Every structure is written in C-alpha cells, then in structure tokens.
Amino acid sequence: MATLLAVLALTAGTGGWLLTDRDSAPAAEHRATRPTVTVEQGALRQSIQLTGTLGYGSPRTVTGTGDGIVTWLPSAGVTVARGRQLYRVDDAPVVLFYGDLPLYRELAEPAPPEKPADDAPPPPPAQPQHGNDVDLVARNLAELGFYDGATEDATYSGSLVSAVRAWQSAQDEEPTGVLGPGNVLVSTGAVRVDSLTAQVGDPAATAVLSVTTTARVLTLDLAETDTTDVVPGRKVRVTLGDGTVVRTKVQHVGKPTPSDDGRPATVPVLVRPTRVGSLAGAESGPVTAVLVTAARHDVRYVPVTALLALAGGGYALERPDGTLVPVEIGMVADGEVEVDGIEAGASVVVAQ
C-alpha cells in the first residue's frame, strides 16, 4: 500500500496543513473498528461570524436657538410626528416639520410702507419673502390641513400668512403670522427622542436633546480586513437577542472606525431585512450574524479529517476496506472540504 499521511486539520484561508502518520497497514480487525463518514453532496459555504446591534441608528443632537428658557421636555423613547411639539421654550412649542433644510431666517408678512413726506413719491411696496424655506412651510401646513395654496415658488404673504396664523391659533399661541428657527425643528420624517441633554430651566440656545429615526436599524461590526467581499446586496443571516433569525441584505458599508484599545479598526455595516415587519416587536440590543463570503453548490464534501496527504503528492480518501481513492480538493469551510474523484454516499475512514 502506498505510503500516506493522515490530515488532522486544515485551516481555511491559509491553506495550512497539520499532518500526522496514519498506520499504512492496519490489521483487518482494526479496520472494522475505525470510524467512517459518508461522502455528502450539497453546498459548502465560507462565512464570517459578526456581532452587532439592533437599535434606531446614530442619534442627532438638537440645539435650540434664541434667548428663551426651556420650559418642557418630552420623555426619552417617545415618537414625535409632523406638527407635534418636540419641546417648549418660554411655554411656546417647538414643532416638528418635515423637510431637507432648517428654517434659517424669520419669516414675516411684508410691513406696509411708511407714509411719505409731503410731496414725496410713495416708496415701492416691500416684496414678500420667497425661497425654499417658504416652500417648506407651505408644504407642511398643506399636509396639516391649514393651507391649500401653492407649495412651489410660494410667497410668504396673503393666504400662506393666514394659514400660519390659523395654525398658531390651533397651537394656543398668539397668531402673529411670524415664524422663525426658534419655532420649528425640521427633520426628514418622524423622530424618536433618544436622550435628553438639557433640563427645564436651561437656556434655549443649548444642546436640548438627541433624536433618531423611528425605523429599526441593524448595524453589524465588521473587521476592516474582512471588507473585501462585503458589498450592498450580499445576504446576511442575523440572530436577534431572543433567538429569532432574520434574513437581511447589506444596505450600506461605512468607513473604518479606529478602536480605542488598540484592536483592529471595525467597519459599520448597515443591513436591512428582506421581509417587511421582521423586526416588529423586537427588543433593542446585541445581535449576532453570519455573513457568507463564498459558496459552492452541488459539490461532494467530507470532513477534513478524512483526507490523506500522499507522500508522493496529492490527496486521497480511504474506503473501509483500505482502498485509497485519489481526490482533488476544493473549497474548505467549517471543517469540511470539497472533494472530486469519489461518488456521493461512499463511506470513507476518518482520523480518530
């Protein structure tokens, strides 16, 4: 019988082999007691084990403006939608509007021109304000049911100012028709209060609170050295804290974040469930995940401990009767190795 060596371990990724002698001429009675396995046929997958968090994404700090005093704050964890107050300053609400830019100036109806002196020509009338901020106010008041005029190229006058006054009255506020950065916080959608920074009685022009989106967010921590095979659309199987398995796909790969303790940098990977509602009712907290980096389908495979490295080169499997079957090897994953040259279902010897 050919001289051979038994493979004890195969390290995926390095291709390293740890070999030991296997008896090349076992006694017949010894053969009958040696453990065997069946050559399987199916899929092999190389994967990375990850940890992560189910939460609401990165919080955003809300900083107030003006000279007022904070007089009311919400509780952490509450959700605030369009038209609802986020906090109060001088007992007046700071209300949430939806949009892509903040209010950056005070909006007010044009003041009437002053009466000219005797025999002087009248001054030209003041022009109403217009711009993206005016359109934002018009769109939000239209969605709240206070305005039915133009929401593009709108002017801050006439029906729009009347709508602002009506909305202010509905808020139990003085209907001045004036609106500024201290009255409205703009966000792309509803927000969830993450934490409070200020206290009642603090100046308004300070960091008041932090908010997040209301959508659940799954973020995984990936070692920077493992990012090569991670691209948007790749499938990831996530296990939540209660054991529920959620199938997701990579949505976004972030930038490396250096570690404070000298460990390798990690990269945040945002994944999204493939089925709507998969995260409904799930508690925030740590999660684990399996990211498949490579796969081979419909292949034959055996445990790496079944492989024999022949002294003359190459590899073989041993049948229970001692016959050696030369094989070609392929992918290695989770202690299994792809083999070609032997039929599926065959029994082969494994190292004890």
PDB file of all heavy atoms in Angstrom, residues 168-189:
ATOM      1  N   GLN A 168     -51.077  78.715  14.245  1.00  0.00           N
ATOM      2  CA  GLN A 168     -50.647  79.206  15.561  1.00  0.00           C
ATOM      3  C   GLN A 168     -51.809  79.229  16.543  1.00  0.00           C
ATOM      4  O   GLN A 168     -51.654  78.871  17.720  1.00  0.00           O
ATOM      5  CB  GLN A 168     -50.013  80.586  15.421  1.00  0.00           C
ATOM      6  CG  GLN A 168     -48.664  80.574  14.718  1.00  0.00           C
ATOM      7  CD  GLN A 168     -48.144  81.971  14.420  1.00  0.00           C
ATOM      8  OE1 GLN A 168     -48.924  82.900  14.175  1.00  0.00           O
ATOM      9  NE2 GLN A 168     -46.820  82.130  14.446  1.00  0.00           N
ATOM     10  N   SER A 169     -52.982  79.649  16.074  1.00  0.00           N
ATOM     11  CA  SER A 169     -54.157  79.665  16.956  1.00  0.00           C
ATOM     12  C   SER A 169     -54.504  78.254  17.413  1.00  0.00           C
ATOM     13  O   SER A 169     -54.881  78.042  18.581  1.00  0.00           O
ATOM     14  CB  SER A 169     -55.353  80.289  16.231  1.00  0.00           C
ATOM     15  OG  SER A 169     -55.122  81.655  15.957  1.00  0.00           O
ATOM     16  N   ALA A 170     -54.367  77.281  16.504  1.00  0.00           N
ATOM     17  CA  ALA A 170     -54.652  75.890  16.869  1.00  0.00           C
ATOM     18  C   ALA A 170     -53.665  75.365  17.899  1.00  0.00           C
ATOM     19  O   ALA A 170     -53.961  74.414  18.629  1.00  0.00           O
ATOM     20  CB  ALA A 170     -54.626  75.006  15.620  1.00  0.00           C
ATOM     21  N   GLN A 171     -52.490  76.009  17.974  1.00  0.00           N
ATOM     22  CA  GLN A 171     -51.469  75.630  18.962  1.00  0.00           C
ATOM     23  C   GLN A 171     -51.637  76.417  20.268  1.00  0.00           C
ATOM     24  O   GLN A 171     -50.801  76.306  21.172  1.00  0.00           O
ATOM     25  CB  GLN A 171     -50.058  75.928  18.400  1.00  0.00           C
ATOM     26  CG  GLN A 171     -49.736  75.244  17.088  1.00  0.00           C
ATOM     27  CD  GLN A 171     -49.362  73.784  17.291  1.00  0.00           C
ATOM     28  OE1 GLN A 171     -48.700  73.431  18.246  1.00  0.00           O
ATOM     29  NE2 GLN A 171     -49.814  72.945  16.379  1.00  0.00           N
ATOM     30  N   ASP A 172     -52.741  77.197  20.366  1.00  0.00           N
ATOM     31  CA  ASP A 172     -52.979  78.066  21.530  1.00  0.00           C
ATOM     32  C   ASP A 172     -51.875  79.105  21.678  1.00  0.00           C
ATOM     33  O   ASP A 172     -51.481  79.474  22.792  1.00  0.00           O
ATOM     34  CB  ASP A 172     -53.107  77.245  22.818  1.00  0.00           C
ATOM     35  CG  ASP A 172     -54.369  76.403  22.843  1.00  0.00           C
ATOM     36  OD1 ASP A 172     -55.374  76.824  22.248  1.00  0.00           O
ATOM     37  OD2 ASP A 172     -54.331  75.307  23.429  1.00  0.00           O
ATOM     38  N   GLU A 173     -51.369  79.571  20.522  1.00  0.00           N
ATOM     39  CA  GLU A 173     -50.335  80.599  20.520  1.00  0.00           C
ATOM     40  C   GLU A 173     -50.896  81.875  19.897  1.00  0.00           C
ATOM     41  O   GLU A 173     -51.882  81.859  19.156  1.00  0.00           O
ATOM     42  CB  GLU A 173     -49.121  80.133  19.726  1.00  0.00           C
ATOM     43  CG  GLU A 173     -48.429  78.915  20.299  1.00  0.00           C
ATOM     44  CD  GLU A 173     -47.951  79.128  21.718  1.00  0.00           C
ATOM     45  OE1 GLU A 173     -47.361  80.205  21.997  1.00  0.00           O
ATOM     46  OE2 GLU A 173     -48.157  78.247  22.563  1.00  0.00           O
ATOM     47  N   GLU A 174     -50.250  82.970  20.189  1.00  0.00           N
ATOM     48  CA  GLU A 174     -50.665  84.241  19.596  1.00  0.00           C
ATOM     49  C   GLU A 174     -50.487  84.170  18.076  1.00  0.00           C
ATOM     50  O   GLU A 174     -49.406  83.842  17.592  1.00  0.00           O
ATOM     51  CB  GLU A 174     -49.833  85.387  20.164  1.00  0.00           C
ATOM     52  CG  GLU A 174     -50.249  86.746  19.642  1.00  0.00           C
ATOM     53  CD  GLU A 174     -49.387  87.854  20.207  1.00  0.00           C
ATOM     54  OE1 GLU A 174     -48.522  87.561  21.071  1.00  0.00           O
ATOM     55  OE2 GLU A 174     -49.560  89.017  19.778  1.00  0.00           O
ATOM     56  N   PRO A 175     -51.526  84.463  17.299  1.00  0.00           N
ATOM     57  CA  PRO A 175     -51.443  84.334  15.837  1.00  0.00           C
ATOM     58  C   PRO A 175     -50.717  85.513  15.198  1.00  0.00           C
ATOM     59  O   PRO A 175     -51.316  86.368  14.538  1.00  0.00           O
ATOM     60  CB  PRO A 175     -52.913  84.276  15.416  1.00  0.00           C
ATOM     61  CG  PRO A 175     -53.640  85.061  16.457  1.00  0.00           C
ATOM     62  CD  PRO A 175     -52.904  84.805  17.746  1.00  0.00           C
ATOM     63  N   THR A 176     -49.423  85.546  15.342  1.00  0.00           N
ATOM     64  CA  THR A 176     -48.630  86.661  14.824  1.00  0.00           C
ATOM     65  C   THR A 176     -48.367  86.547  13.331  1.00  0.00           C
ATOM     66  O   THR A 176     -48.082  87.549  12.669  1.00  0.00           O
ATOM     67  CB  THR A 176     -47.287  86.729  15.551  1.00  0.00           C
ATOM     68  OG1 THR A 176     -46.560  85.523  15.283  1.00  0.00           O
ATOM     69  CG2 THR A 176     -47.481  86.893  17.049  1.00  0.00           C
ATOM     70  N   GLY A 177     -48.409  85.333  12.814  1.00  0.00           N
ATOM     71  CA  GLY A 177     -48.035  85.133  11.410  1.00  0.00           C
ATOM     72  C   GLY A 177     -46.536  85.128  11.200  1.00  0.00           C
ATOM     73  O   GLY A 177     -46.071  85.004  10.065  1.00  0.00           O
ATOM     74  N   VAL A 178     -45.764  85.246  12.261  1.00  0.00           N
ATOM     75  CA  VAL A 178     -44.294  85.251  12.181  1.00  0.00           C
ATOM     76  C   VAL A 178     -43.773  83.871  12.574  1.00  0.00           C
ATOM     77  O   VAL A 178     -44.215  83.279  13.567  1.00  0.00           O
ATOM     78  CB  VAL A 178     -43.688  86.325  13.102  1.00  0.00           C
ATOM     79  CG1 VAL A 178     -42.165  86.284  13.042  1.00  0.00           C
ATOM     80  CG2 VAL A 178     -44.219  87.704  12.715  1.00  0.00           C
ATOM     81  N   LEU A 179     -42.821  83.378  11.801  1.00  0.00           N
ATOM     82  CA  LEU A 179     -42.278  82.039  12.030  1.00  0.00           C
ATOM     83  C   LEU A 179     -40.769  82.093  11.858  1.00  0.00           C
ATOM     84  O   LEU A 179     -40.261  82.680  10.893  1.00  0.00           O
ATOM     85  CB  LEU A 179     -42.893  81.060  11.027  1.00  0.00           C
ATOM     86  CG  LEU A 179     -42.880  79.575  11.371  1.00  0.00           C
ATOM     87  CD1 LEU A 179     -43.617  79.303  12.669  1.00  0.00           C
ATOM     88  CD2 LEU A 179     -43.529  78.783  10.230  1.00  0.00           C
ATOM     89  N   GLY A 180     -40.027  81.487  12.805  1.00  0.00           N
ATOM     90  CA  GLY A 180     -38.576  81.535  12.728  1.00  0.00           C
ATOM     91  C   GLY A 180     -37.927  80.248  13.171  1.00  0.00           C
ATOM     92  O   GLY A 180     -38.609  79.280  13.563  1.00  0.00           O
ATOM     93  N   PRO A 181     -36.590  80.190  13.141  1.00  0.00           N
ATOM     94  CA  PRO A 181     -35.857  78.984  13.519  1.00  0.00           C
ATOM     95  C   PRO A 181     -36.152  78.504  14.931  1.00  0.00           C
ATOM     96  O   PRO A 181     -36.046  77.303  15.216  1.00  0.00           O
ATOM     97  CB  PRO A 181     -34.390  79.401  13.369  1.00  0.00           C
ATOM     98  CG  PRO A 181     -34.413  80.527  12.389  1.00  0.00           C
ATOM     99  CD  PRO A 181     -35.681  81.259  12.654  1.00  0.00           C
ATOM    100  N   GLY A 182     -36.512  79.420  15.840  1.00  0.00           N
ATOM    101  CA  GLY A 182     -36.805  79.015  17.202  1.00  0.00           C
ATOM    102  C   GLY A 182     -38.160  78.377  17.377  1.00  0.00           C
ATOM    103  O   GLY A 182     -38.458  77.835  18.454  1.00  0.00           O
ATOM    104  N   ASN A 183     -39.008  78.418  16.334  1.00  0.00           N
ATOM    105  CA  ASN A 183     -40.356  77.865  16.434  1.00  0.00           C
ATOM    106  C   ASN A 183     -40.481  76.459  15.859  1.00  0.00           C
ATOM    107  O   ASN A 183     -41.425  75.737  16.206  1.00  0.00           O
ATOM    108  CB  ASN A 183     -41.360  78.761  15.697  1.00  0.00           C
ATOM    109  CG  ASN A 183     -41.296  80.200  16.138  1.00  0.00           C
ATOM    110  OD1 ASN A 183     -41.022  81.101  15.342  1.00  0.00           O
ATOM    111  ND2 ASN A 183     -41.524  80.447  17.432  1.00  0.00           N
ATOM    112  N   VAL A 184     -39.571  76.096  14.972  1.00  0.00           N
ATOM    113  CA  VAL A 184     -39.730  74.859  14.198  1.00  0.00           C
ATOM    114  C   VAL A 184     -38.406  74.105  14.122  1.00  0.00           C
ATOM    115  O   VAL A 184     -37.349  74.697  13.885  1.00  0.00           O
ATOM    116  CB  VAL A 184     -40.224  75.178  12.767  1.00  0.00           C
ATOM    117  CG1 VAL A 184     -40.175  73.943  11.875  1.00  0.00           C
ATOM    118  CG2 VAL A 184     -41.642  75.740  12.810  1.00  0.00           C
ATOM    119  N   LEU A 185     -38.472  72.784  14.305  1.00  0.00           N
ATOM    120  CA  LEU A 185     -37.353  71.889  14.011  1.00  0.00           C
ATOM    121  C   LEU A 185     -37.719  71.108  12.760  1.00  0.00           C
ATOM    122  O   LEU A 185     -38.831  70.582  12.653  1.00  0.00           O
ATOM    123  CB  LEU A 185     -37.100  70.916  15.165  1.00  0.00           C
ATOM    124  CG  LEU A 185     -36.048  69.849  14.854  1.00  0.00           C
ATOM    125  CD1 LEU A 185     -34.648  70.446  14.888  1.00  0.00           C
ATOM    126  CD2 LEU A 185     -36.147  68.664  15.807  1.00  0.00           C
ATOM    127  N   VAL A 186     -36.789  71.038  11.817  1.00  0.00           N
ATOM    128  CA  VAL A 186     -37.056  70.350  10.560  1.00  0.00           C
ATOM    129  C   VAL A 186     -36.299  69.025  10.533  1.00  0.00           C
ATOM    130  O   VAL A 186     -35.106  68.962  10.831  1.00  0.00           O
ATOM    131  CB  VAL A 186     -36.652  71.212   9.345  1.00  0.00           C
ATOM    132  CG1 VAL A 186     -36.949  70.470   8.047  1.00  0.00           C
ATOM    133  CG2 VAL A 186     -37.406  72.540   9.372  1.00  0.00           C
ATOM    134  N   SER A 187     -37.002  67.959  10.162  1.00  0.00           N
ATOM    135  CA  SER A 187     -36.415  66.634  10.025  1.00  0.00           C
ATOM    136  C   SER A 187     -36.991  65.982   8.770  1.00  0.00           C
ATOM    137  O   SER A 187     -38.039  66.405   8.259  1.00  0.00           O
ATOM    138  CB  SER A 187     -36.721  65.773  11.252  1.00  0.00           C
ATOM    139  OG  SER A 187     -36.253  64.452  11.078  1.00  0.00           O
ATOM    140  N   THR A 188     -36.308  64.965   8.273  1.00  0.00           N
ATOM    141  CA  THR A 188     -36.791  64.293   7.061  1.00  0.00           C
ATOM    142  C   THR A 188     -38.021  63.433   7.323  1.00  0.00           C
ATOM    143  O   THR A 188     -38.665  62.964   6.383  1.00  0.00           O
ATOM    144  CB  THR A 188     -35.690  63.417   6.451  1.00  0.00           C
ATOM    145  OG1 THR A 188     -35.203  62.500   7.453  1.00  0.00           O
ATOM    146  CG2 THR A 188     -34.535  64.274   5.956  1.00  0.00           C
ATOM    147  N   GLY A 189     -38.335  63.196   8.578  1.00  0.00           N
ATOM    148  CA  GLY A 189     -39.506  62.390   8.929  1.00  0.00           C
ATOM    149  C   GLY A 189     -39.712  62.429  10.427  1.00  0.00           C
ATOM    150  O   GLY A 189     -39.091  63.214  11.151  1.00  0.00           O
TER     151      GLY A 189
END
